[in-house]
Amino acid sequence: MDEMITGKIGVQYDIYVMPTQIVERQSTDIASTSDRYIAKALKFIHQNIEKRITVKDVLRQVPLSRRALEMRFQETTGTGVYKYIYNLQIEKFAQKLLDSDKTIFEIAIESGFESSKNISRQFKQIKGCTPAEYRRRHLSKR
């Protein structure tokens, strides 16, 4: 601190540390919305994300039309039902990349994706890098 005050330390710069994951806690749980149908839909999505669910599966859980579900879901989460499911699947896949030393192909199949090429393209659209690059970057920091 003294060196900073007396000017002995030169140029300062910011160091940015990007998060590798988000850990949901009860206090940040999005399902705690006041809209009980959206809360039920979110709970269903999170509990069944490994099963490759669709919007139709979510609709079966709530007494809403597709349009009403989409509008209320968008209002609550800021995104549509399909995109929410899709992004959550990619997040779960990304977490498995860091938690497992299985091959990307094995994790893709285990996660319900049909092929590792398809997941690689989809992953890059969301995360900005391939699954292999993501794994390399984040595991080297641990």
Side-chain angles (χ1 to χ4, degrees):
M1 185 70 87
D2 181 54
E3 290 177 356
M4 288 175 64
I5 293 171
T6 58
K8 293 179 185 174
I9 294 181
V11 179
Q12 298 175 19
Y13 56 92
D14 294 331
I15 298 173
Y16 296 96
V17 179
M18 301 303 293
T20 59
Q21 65 181 332
I22 296 172
V23 177
E24 290 183 16
R25 306 246 189 296
Q26 182 68 30
S27 61
T28 59
D29 185 7
I30 196 162
S32 63
T33 177
S34 60
D35 187 324
R36 66 183 177 144
Y37 296 132
I38 299 306
K40 187 174 181 179
L42 286 165
K43 184 177 180 181
F44 174 79
I45 291 168
H46 282 265
Q47 288 176 341
N48 295 282
I49 197 65
E50 304 288 332
K51 298 177 186 172
R52 299 296 293 172
I53 57 174
T54 65
V55 177
K56 284 185 180 181
D57 296 323
V58 177
L59 273 169
R60 287 187 200 106
Q61 305 302 310
V62 293
L64 298 172
S65 68
R66 183 168 183 143
R67 176 105 172 107
L69 174 65
E70 287 290 349
M71 289 175 59
R72 289 164 75 165
F73 201 92
Q74 177 78 33
E75 187 178 298
T76 301
T77 66
T79 189
V81 180
Y82 174 80
K83 190 166 185 175
Y84 187 90
I85 293 169
Y86 176 76
N87 288 339
L88 187 58
Q89 288 168 335
I90 296 293
E91 287 302 320
K92 295 287 184 183
F93 178 77
Q95 187 56 48
K96 286 181 182 181
L97 287 172
L98 302 180
D99 292 343
S100 171
D101 32 348
K102 292 180 181 178
T103 66
I104 292 168
F105 178 76
E106 289 172 321
I107 296 171
I109 297 302
E110 194 178 273
S111 299
F113 295 99
E114 289 81 38
S115 75
S116 57
K117 287 181 185 176
N118 200 25
I119 183 60
S120 207
R121 181 182 49 76
Q122 293 171 334
F123 191 90
K124 190 169 186 171
Q125 285 177 335
I126 301 289
K127 296 290 190 180
C129 61
T130 67
E133 291 168 344
Y134 183 85
R135 185 180 249 177
R136 234 184 341 269
R137 280 184 201 163
H138 296 293
L139 285 180
S140 67
K141 294 177 184 177
R142 287 186 173 185

